[in-house]
Amino acid sequence: MRASVPGDLQLKELRPAALALKLKLEEIETQLDPKGLEIAFQTAKQKQVGAIMTAATRNFFAERKRIVELADKYRLPAIYSQKEYVDEGGLMSYGADFDDLYRKAAHYVDKILKGAKPADLPVQQATKFEFVINLKAAKQIGVTIPPDVLARANQVIK
């Protein structure tokens, strides 16, 4: 699911990935209000989607509690880009380790305070990622997580 965001880089990457994996990508646009989110989940259920993934935007993050509740209500497995969704009861997340990113930012601040020019510092992408699985959420929607997938998780919530 995604909100209307022009030039959504995430969706541009998802389309060819889904095609390569021979998956049907169902793009469902929504308004980020209670009614719009409910309609989006109803639409996903009607179209018999197998799982959902929300766009990694601030707007979706702000509505994470409601999104997780709706995924549970409609018994739709969901993967999110941030572990805070899992903290709210979501099934699983895979994304950048923000603690690591904050540590890197602190190093940049230190360098700048010591006289480095921000324009001279290299731009760095995330290099550390985390995979979190919530087994309680899996049980609530009737999903069994295979042992080999559980073994890859950085954190498993029971």
Side-chain angles (χ1 to χ4, degrees):
M1 289 181 202
R2 69 183 195 93
S4 299
V5 179
D8 186 358
L9 179 61
Q10 184 180 5
L11 193 55
K12 287 179 186 176
E13 296 294 329
L14 280 172
R15 288 176 181 141
L19 191 60
L21 293 169
K22 296 183 170 90
L23 296 173
K24 181 180 179 193
L25 179 64
E26 194 69 55
E27 298 175 33
I28 301 171
E29 293 196 20
T30 184
Q31 296 297 316
L32 291 172
D33 57 47
K35 184 179 178 185
L37 287 171
E38 182 85 34
I39 290 169
F41 275 88
Q42 287 172 352
T43 301
K45 197 65 173 178
Q46 287 168 352
K47 292 185 176 200
Q48 299 179 340
V49 300
I52 65 163
M53 182 177 121
T54 60
T57 67
R58 287 179 289 141
N59 295 334
F60 275 110
F61 186 79
E63 295 294 331
R64 67 189 176 279
K65 184 175 174 78
R66 182 69 179 137
I67 290 168
V68 166
E69 289 170 352
L70 288 167
D72 183 46
K73 175 181 176 180
Y74 288 95
R75 300 177 58 84
L76 286 169
I79 187 163
Y80 306 100
S81 60
Q82 292 172 270
K83 68 179 178 179
E84 287 82 1
Y85 286 88
V86 180
D87 294 340
E88 292 288 348
L91 178 60
M92 65 178 70
S93 66
Y94 180 76
D97 180 336
F98 281 94
D99 292 340
D100 184 59
L101 291 177
Y102 294 140
R103 276 189 291 278
K104 287 180 181 180
H107 286 108
Y108 272 63
V109 170
D110 180 59
K111 289 178 183 183
I112 292 167
L113 291 175
K114 290 180 178 173
K117 294 180 183 175
D120 293 340
L121 297 174
V123 174
Q124 294 184 354
Q125 292 186 344
T127 56
K128 189 174 178 186
F129 296 85
E130 58 186 349
F131 180 34
V132 181
I133 299 173
N134 183 335
L135 289 178
K136 183 180 175 187
K139 185 177 180 180
Q140 285 179 310
I141 62 171
V143 170
T144 301
I145 308 293
D148 58 327
V149 174
L150 287 172
R152 293 176 182 246
N154 300 88
Q155 180 183 1
V156 176
I157 300 169
K158 297 180 180 181

